[in-house]
Amino acid sequence: WFDVSPPWLERVLARKPRALLRAVDGVSFTLQRGETLALVGESGCGKSTMARLLVGLYGLTRGEVLIDGQPVSRLNEPGGRALRRRLQMIFQDPYASQNPRWRVERIIAEPLLTHTRMDAAQRRARVDELLRQVGLDPSDRSRYPHQFSGGQRQRISIARALAAHPELLVCDEPTSALDVSVQAQVLNLMKDLQRQLGLTYLFISHNLAVVHHVADRVGVMYLGRLVELAPRDAVFGQPRHPYTRMLLSAIPDLRGTGKSRTPVAGEVPNPLNPPTGCTFHPRCPHARELCRVEAPKALPAGEAVVACHGVELGWETLQGPA
Ligand code: SF4
Ligand code: MG
């Protein structure tokens, strides 16, 4: 249904002066209707760029994103509006994405002005319905964003995103700015809404505990590449890629078996000057000469698709988190 089809994204022009940044490179996946696919990785791995590419905020220099066979690049062309309605984005920071001078009613109703022919009374009724759906009160419609808590403001962002009945929500770190207890409430609300409305989520996060909570499948990104893509339980229970293992070993054990945490070794290299071959090789405990000269291809490995020479050629055979 929703295809990011190969070969694509050879280069992405990022908003950096005089630099051609390969922020997202050779990434390929298909989203199934109704699923949550989470993209994880450290900051600087290209997750947010991927999100913006998917909703047409950045241009592609090569490759294509398709929704039911229609290219997302048409979003910004005349006639792209119908496609645009089907995709909405929720950003990390509700403070930055809501106009402080607008009342909640206007914030939530904005997509209705663009995508529907509702009159003022119909918009008011839809806004009230949305406020109730996200656990707020219809009387909140005449308040301003600063009168709400962070969690309430993210609920307002969700209501706005849902206003024109989208099918896919691209959520870029939607709860990372919130306190842990509020995070869980917002994530549970998103899961409930997904069930009720049949939504598909592309969920971007650096937080593996959050990903474990929400994802059906997980894509692990490193320096703009998808290095592992697998069902959630395969990623957490039998991670294949050395980078996935490094990420997992750095978090407290999700199953509570009391294993200690190891800090993530090294730093993400400068994406403007990425390492040769497998871009993870300077940090990889299993790197060999081949890794320095040749980029690994994404190949099936059990339930996963993994881009690693060691996995392909069998020298990287550790099972479970490193
Ligand atoms: Fe490590 Fe080589 Fe696999 Fe890259 S290709 S993750 S360097 S073993
Ligand atoms: Mg980001």
Side-chain angles (χ1 to χ4, degrees):
W1 169 63
F2 184 93
D3 268 310
V4 181
S5 58
W8 82 302
L9 296 184
E10 195 47 43
R11 287 171 182 179
V12 172
L13 190 59
R15 307 203 165 150
K16 296 239 159 76
R18 276 165 297 154
L20 190 62
L21 179 70
R22 296 163 70 110
V24 184
D25 199 349
V27 172
S28 151
F29 58 84
T30 299
L31 270 173
Q32 307 298 326
R33 197 181 294 272
E35 79 164 336
T36 298
L37 173 64
L39 295 180
V40 291
E42 295 157 279
S43 54
C45 281
K47 305 185 304 292
S48 296
T49 304
M50 168 69 80
R52 284 160 177 76
L53 285 165
L54 287 175
V55 298
L57 291 178
Y58 290 168
L60 299 179
T61 50
R62 216 166 149 192
E64 196 51 275
V65 180
L66 303 172
I67 300 165
D68 281 346
Q70 294 198 68
V72 164
S73 51
R74 286 208 202 121
L75 286 173
N76 300 318
E77 294 170 13
R81 196 175 281 180
L83 202 53
R84 192 90 192 75
R85 183 191 62 76
R86 301 172 64 183
L87 295 179
Q88 289 291 327
M89 186 148 177
I90 297 174
F91 296 93
Q92 173 175 351
D93 184 3
Y95 296 86
S97 58
Q98 291 168 2
N99 187 330
R101 288 186 212 91
W102 286 9
R103 292 179 195 274
V104 164
E105 176 166 30
R106 184 168 172 198
I107 291 170
I108 296 177
E110 197 192 21
L112 300 175
L113 292 166
T114 316
H115 296 295
T116 73
R117 293 170 177 209
M118 287 181 175
D119 63 26
Q122 289 169 321
R123 288 196 302 271
R124 161 75 54 101
R126 177 72 181 135
V127 167
D128 287 359
E129 178 184 38
L130 287 159
L131 283 167
R132 273 191 291 265
Q133 268 182 325
V134 300
L136 296 172
D137 194 273
S139 65
D140 289 330
R141 73 170 100 77
S142 46
R143 297 165 71 198
Y144 291 93
H146 73 265
Q147 296 176 286
F148 294 87
S149 68
Q152 288 171 324
R153 291 179 65 145
Q154 204 52 300
R155 288 170 191 264
I156 293 166
S157 295
I158 293 167
R160 181 185 184 283
L162 294 178
H165 301 287
E167 293 159 60
L168 172 69
L169 289 190
V170 176
C171 315
D172 187 5
E173 304 269 11
T175 63
S176 341
L178 307 175
D179 293 343
V180 175
S181 60
V182 180
Q183 274 194 29
Q185 291 166 16
V186 173
L187 292 173
N188 288 334
L189 169 69
M190 292 180 69
K191 285 174 86 167
D192 289 345
L193 291 167
Q194 180 174 41
R195 259 194 308 274
Q196 287 164 28
L197 305 172
L199 297 164
T200 305
Y201 290 153
L202 184 75
F203 195 101
I204 292 170
S205 180
H206 70 281
N207 184 330
L208 285 162
V210 166
V211 166
H212 188 265
H213 187 64
V214 300
D216 299 308
R217 286 192 302 153
V218 178
V220 180
M221 291 193 69
Y222 189 74
L223 277 186
R225 287 177 176 269
L226 201 55
V227 298
E228 178 157 4
L229 177 65
R232 178 195 65 179
D233 291 344
V235 166
F236 284 89
Q238 197 185 46
R240 307 267 181 163
H241 196 280
Y243 179 58
T244 311
R245 293 204 189 123
M246 183 182 280
L247 287 179
L248 286 172
S249 65
I251 57 163
D253 189 359
L254 295 166
R255 287 154 302 185
T257 56
K259 272 195 269 176
S260 65
R261 70 185 260 167
T262 327
V264 173
E267 284 172 14
V268 180
N270 181 355
L272 295 175
N273 186 20
T276 55
C278 171
T279 56
F280 186 58
H281 83 254
R283 300 171 75 187
C284 182
H286 310 284
R288 296 189 181 181
E289 186 51 31
L290 174 63
C291 306
R292 279 175 263 280
V293 294
E294 196 179 306
K297 292 188 184 70
L299 297 169
E303 290 180 279
V305 173
V306 182
C308 170
H309 292 303
V311 171
E312 181 188 353
L313 300 173
W315 81 67
E316 220 304 89
T317 52
L318 291 170
Q319 301 292 310

